[in-house]
Amino acid sequence: MKTIGQKLFAWFDERFDLSPVVEFVNHKRVPVHRHMIWYYMGGVTLFLFVTQVVTGILLLFYYRPGADSAYESLRFILTKVNFGWLIRSIHSWSANLMVFFVFVHMFSTFFTRAYQKPREMTWVSGFILLALALGFGFSGYLLPWNELAFFATKVGTDIAGSVPFIGKALLVVLRGGDDVTGATLTRFYAFHVAMLPAIFTVFLTLHLLFVQRQGMSEPEELQGLAENQKKSISFFPNFFLRDALLWLIVLNILLYLAVFYPWDLGFKADPFTSAPAGIKPEWYFMFMFQTLKFLPAHILVFEGEVVGIVFFGLAGLAWMLAPFWQFGSKRKGVSNPMNIIGLISLAFIIIMTIVGYLV
Amino acid sequence: MKTNRRRFLNLVIGGGLAGWLGSVLYPVISYLVPPKIPEAIVNSVKAGATTDFPPNSGKIIKFGRIPVILIRTNDKKFLAFSATCTHLDCIVQYRSDTQQIWCACHNGVYDLNGRNVSGPPPRPLEPFNVLVQNDEIIITKPTG
């Protein structure tokens, strides 16, 4: 007697020949070693992304873009809509956790050197996903049209405006004019709910396809061992179930944060008030913000912020292209040049972020 | 002969494709650049009665679409500057404790002449003229 599931499978199998898929799922294995925990970070990020999509779609049912309606519609969601506060709070928290896990995923990939040949394109596509995730964060931050978001957007787009050569045009296209106005909000809404998701989906699909096609990266110490000395578990169901358990834990943490630390709405943006004291960008932009704050008004003949922007642009590009210029070295730990570069970058980000919150 | 024909065809098809792409992208990119909206040129605004402004205080005044900061100093003088920080476009405020103009975004400080005295601002704030006529404050654009 076949179950309904088996019948359905047989129905599809007869028409589409699912044997390659079954073959793939049965043979996919995950290496077991002491750095294995980092394999879960990408999965957690993916889970949080799905949470973003679901809660984002729910928010769209009530959100109304526009300088006269955005803040009001958000207040309506928070105070009148059933569980509106919860959906919005999950969306905000999950966005922050997602960016956090993207960074963890990226640095763990860097330090385990999983970005090396043959996985260069997985690394590059991952970096593009990081850039898009930051774009999501930046564009989404403005949508409630509150004071903090208004000034963060003014500063952020002004920084984009000082990019050499194309800055001015970029600023006008981003803002929909010379100033941050309702036109900017409409644009950011289009970026946040249509353009970025479309581009993100393409790169996410590629990123996942690359991972599936090449399998999990093995750390260097395992690569010299004979096949029978390596330990591994099957992806399905063993690794998948562990993944699912972790997702459940992350979901619980997310709900805890969303319920006990709900996201604030703040005051409505007013283009004719002074920037309030204590204005801060989202924490993941803090290290860049803080660095710009430390730069003097002029460095040689250039404006300080232009130097800062060019520096971050070039550093980001170098980071994305790391698989192509990396220093090959057999050294381990802190004497390996790539580890030193990674540690300096990580330390810079962490220290500047902490300083940003203390100063 | 045969290669030449192939090259010619590739050129025609490739060129056609490039032309087609251009004809698609040009309107899209032009669409994204917002049109210039004509605005009435504002040369002066009335900011209110002098009695509304206690000494050692500042207020943001709408000057057309630009924010202007109007300050009444301790010796009851009125000063006005563009309120847009020359660093990254935030709106500055008057600090009555230090009697300076301060930008909260990146800790930029200007003195009461609008000069950037500390922090990241690269340029001074643009000054505006203040006239007091029959106890009414009028802010005008600097001439020249």
Side-chain angles (χ1 to χ4, degrees):
Chain A
M1 188 61 196
K2 278 184 175 174
T3 63
I4 292 182
Q6 284 167 330
K7 278 182 192 161
L8 263 178
F9 180 83
W11 193 91
F12 278 98
D13 190 33
E14 191 185 348
R15 282 154 185 84
F16 297 103
D17 181 20
L18 299 178
S19 55
V21 181
V22 175
E23 183 86 347
F24 177 78
V25 170
N26 283 340
H27 285 88
K28 186 175 163 68
R29 296 192 72 79
V30 179
V32 176
H33 50 83
R34 63 197 175 97
H35 298 304
M36 199 186 168
I37 183 157
W38 305 115
Y39 286 152
Y40 296 97
M41 298 304 137
V44 170
T45 311
L46 182 64
F47 170 73
L48 290 167
F49 177 70
V50 173
T51 311
Q52 284 307 94
V53 173
V54 173
T55 49
I57 291 172
L58 290 174
L59 288 172
L60 280 180
F61 280 72
Y62 291 101
Y63 178 75
R64 287 178 293 133
D68 303 322
S69 55
Y71 182 86
E72 287 74 7
S73 71
L74 217 21
R75 198 170 49 195
F76 180 74
I77 292 173
L78 293 180
T79 56
K80 296 280 191 293
V81 179
N82 292 332
F83 295 107
W85 62 275
L86 182 65
I87 303 294
R88 193 267 171 152
S89 201
I90 292 177
H91 194 72
S92 303
W93 269 114
S94 161
N96 282 281
L97 288 180
M98 181 176 128
V99 174
F100 175 77
F101 278 103
V102 168
F103 274 103
V104 175
H105 182 46
M106 181 181 76
F107 275 105
S108 62
T109 307
F110 189 84
F111 286 120
T112 53
R113 260 180 283 300
Y115 61 85
Q116 292 182 130
K117 188 185 172 189
R119 294 184 175 78
E120 300 95 329
M121 292 319 289
T122 320
W123 172 263
V124 172
S125 60
F127 184 88
I128 294 170
L129 288 172
L130 164 72
L132 291 170
L134 295 180
F136 266 119
F138 185 63
S139 57
Y141 197 48
L142 180 66
L143 299 186
W145 197 244
N146 58 24
E147 227 174 23
L148 284 177
F150 177 77
F151 283 105
T153 306
K154 259 174 114 63
V155 172
T157 48
D158 206 73
I159 288 173
S162 46
V163 172
F165 309 116
I166 55 159
K168 179 70 183 136
L170 190 63
L171 177 128
V172 171
V173 168
L174 281 173
R175 287 185 176 177
D178 291 322
D179 298 305
V180 175
T181 58
T184 319
L185 183 58
T186 316
R187 271 169 195 241
F188 274 40
Y189 178 66
F191 293 140
H192 193 77
V193 307
M195 208 176 94
L196 288 172
I199 303 171
F200 196 93
T201 308
V202 173
F203 283 98
L204 181 61
T205 309
L206 283 175
H207 192 69
L208 294 176
L209 274 177
F210 294 157
V211 174
Q212 296 314 316
R213 181 78 183 128
Q214 294 180 323
M216 305 306 272
S217 159
E218 285 179 347
E220 277 159 351
E221 64 253 36
L222 254 73
Q223 282 165 12
L225 297 178
E227 281 305 314
N228 56 9
Q229 285 178 297
K230 291 179 188 174
K231 277 194 279 183
S232 68
I233 55 170
S234 59
F235 179 80
F236 200 84
N238 300 26
F239 189 81
F240 180 76
L241 287 176
R242 292 182 188 197
D243 244 349
L245 179 64
L246 188 60
W247 295 355
L248 205 60
I249 293 169
V250 170
L251 180 65
N252 277 285
I253 294 171
L254 185 60
L255 287 175
Y256 174 82
L257 291 169
V259 170
F260 291 104
Y261 302 95
W263 220 262
D264 208 7
L265 181 57
F267 298 105
K268 187 177 172 174
D270 176 355
F272 290 95
T273 51
S274 304
I279 185 140
K280 282 186 180 62
E282 295 263 70
W283 62 267
Y284 39 86
F285 292 120
M286 188 50 118
F287 71 98
M288 291 192 261
F289 177 86
Q290 192 57 36
T291 312
L292 290 182
K293 228 166 155 174
F294 278 145
L295 292 175
H298 290 96
I299 298 173
L300 301 175
V301 292
F302 306 104
E303 281 193 12
E305 69 199 56
V306 177
V307 176
I309 288 152
V310 171
F311 166 74
F312 281 118
L314 292 178
L317 190 69
W319 189 255
M320 177 172 97
L321 299 177
F324 304 102
W325 57 259
Q326 64 145 343
F327 306 111
S329 168
K330 291 271 169 248
R331 291 165 185 232
K332 291 211 160 35
V334 286
S335 58
N336 182 299
M338 291 313 278
N339 282 352
I340 295 170
I341 291 172
L343 284 172
I344 290 174
S345 312
L346 189 61
F348 177 79
I349 292 175
I350 293 175
I351 290 171
M352 279 304 194
T353 306
I354 293 172
V355 169
Y357 280 96
L358 292 183
V359 175
Chain B
M1 183 64 202
K2 205 175 171 188
T3 3
N4 277 346
R5 185 182 296 169
R6 169 158 297 176
R7 268 181 62 190
F8 174 74
L9 282 175
N10 281 346
L11 211 69
V12 169
I13 295 170
L17 201 68
W20 178 81
L21 258 180
S23 68
V24 170
L25 288 180
Y26 178 74
V28 170
I29 291 167
S30 312
Y31 177 86
L32 290 177
V33 178
K36 287 259 173 290
I37 300 163
E39 287 170 59
I41 298 165
V42 180
N43 284 317
S44 73
V45 293
K46 288 176 183 170
T50 49
T51 47
D52 295 343
F53 296 90
N56 197 20
S57 71
K59 197 185 168 197
I60 304 293
I61 307 289
K62 208 174 156 184
F63 195 93
R65 61 175 186 84
I66 4 177
V68 165
I69 185 162
L70 178 67
I71 296 164
R72 190 166 198 190
T73 58
N74 258 340
D75 46 5
K76 296 188 177 175
K77 249 181 26 189
F78 282 102
L79 302 166
F81 301 96
S82 154
T84 307
C85 182
T86 55
H87 178 224
L88 289 175
D89 213 23
C90 279
I91 299 178
V92 296
Q93 56 185 283
Y94 178 69
R95 287 275 295 260
S96 52
D97 51 345
T98 57
Q99 296 178 25
Q100 283 175 317
I101 302 167
W102 179 60
C103 181
C105 288
H106 301 89
N107 214 11
V109 180
Y110 304 84
D111 64 13
L112 290 182
N113 294 313
R115 276 196 308 250
N116 43 323
V117 287
S118 85
R123 284 180 303 280
L125 295 172
E126 192 194 350
F128 279 66
N129 301 324
V130 188
L131 290 169
V132 180
Q133 284 179 343
N134 305 328
D135 278 346
E136 189 175 50
I137 307 161
I138 298 164
I139 302 174
T140 59
K141 263 216 161 116
T143 43

